[in-house]
Amino acid sequence: MLQIENLTWTAPEGGQVLNGVDLVVPDNKLVVITGPNGGGKTTLAKLIAGLEKPDSGRIILDGQDITELDITERAKLGVSYAFQQPVRFKGLTVTDLLELAAGKKLSHTEACDYLARVGLCANEYVGREVNATLSGGEIKRIELATVIARHTRLSVFDEPEAGIDLWSFNNLIDVFRDLQQSINGSMIIISHQERILAIADEIAVISGGRVTKHGAVAEVMPELLSGSAACKCPKKEVKYCGEN
């Protein structure tokens, strides 16, 4: 279980981005964090992962205060973070990346199994270099495969739909549904896409640096949809953008 208590963070230029965030992410639940742009969603994700340090407050994972731990120490405890734009590694193959995530050598079959779980034709990818020849959708799914390989206690995905086409987006939804069924820990997705919100167990809304709403999908989703304008994003087939 992840507990966030009274978390605050101020940007280097001086503006306060988070102003007392309180949030609990239970075990074996998918929580989608949404809200208007600039509300603090990505900042919160980075604080959870250890990419930034809060001004005050606490981050507690499974009863352990991890607030002062760096990203490497948190990774060792089972925290994974998937970027909006995954990093590419020239010279590393997909199998190399999966082995780094798993922390051990993988057989061809094991590597293929991870890739198959995210909808990739495994034999075409195990030897591919993780470079610019991969599309946005391909690199996103490879990153998801590394998260699966790590078997982490807490997985954080920052706007996984960013920069990918409709076909890849549909496949991401299927992957997240599968992950949700086999989750052994907590999973957070930062998103304002309606179809991602719809598969959540819980939705938390962050606006103005605070959690303004948190509850089950059936409770929060109708309020989001009724209070938002139609989104002009036909490729994503969404209604709620959280940008109004």
Side-chain angles (χ1 to χ4, degrees), residues 64-219:
Q64 179 179 349
D65 190 334
I66 64 171
T67 312
E68 298 302 321
L69 300 185
D70 62 28
I71 187 170
T72 301
E73 292 168 318
R74 295 186 199 198
K76 290 177 180 178
L77 291 176
V79 179
S80 289
Y81 180 78
F83 292 85
Q84 285 187 34
Q85 300 296 329
V87 180
R88 298 172 190 267
F89 301 91
K90 187 176 181 180
L92 282 181
T93 67
V94 172
T95 296
D96 292 334
L97 204 57
L98 288 169
E99 289 179 341
L100 285 171
K104 63 178 183 178
K105 292 290 291 183
L106 297 175
S107 68
H108 180 80
T109 299
E110 288 173 322
C112 287
D113 284 345
Y114 286 126
L115 293 172
R117 286 189 63 181
V118 296
L120 293 175
C121 184
N123 283 325
E124 295 182 9
Y125 287 91
V126 286
R128 286 277 298 273
E129 191 172 311
V130 188
N131 58 20
T133 64
L134 294 168
S135 70
E138 288 170 329
I139 194 70
K140 283 285 179 71
R141 281 185 280 168
I142 289 168
E143 185 177 51
L144 279 172
T146 65
V147 172
I148 295 170
R150 286 202 64 216
H151 302 290
T152 51
R153 289 286 300 124
L154 173 65
S155 301
V156 183
F157 301 90
D158 189 6
E159 296 195 24
E161 71 277 8
I164 62 172
D165 57 28
L166 177 59
W167 184 85
S168 296
F169 178 73
N170 289 336
N171 277 274
L172 280 177
I173 295 292
D174 292 338
V175 171
F176 283 128
R177 283 200 181 102
D178 289 342
L179 281 174
Q180 191 176 17
Q181 296 303 314
S182 59
I183 190 172
N184 183 25
S186 303
M187 186 159 63
I188 296 172
I189 301 178
I190 308 296
S191 180
H192 44 60
Q193 299 292 346
E194 182 183 346
R195 290 178 60 194
I196 291 180
L197 291 165
I199 67 171
D201 295 302
E202 299 178 4
I203 296 173
V205 181
I206 292 185
S207 179
R210 292 179 177 273
V211 175
T212 57
K213 188 78 174 179
H214 181 203
V217 174
E219 173 190 353

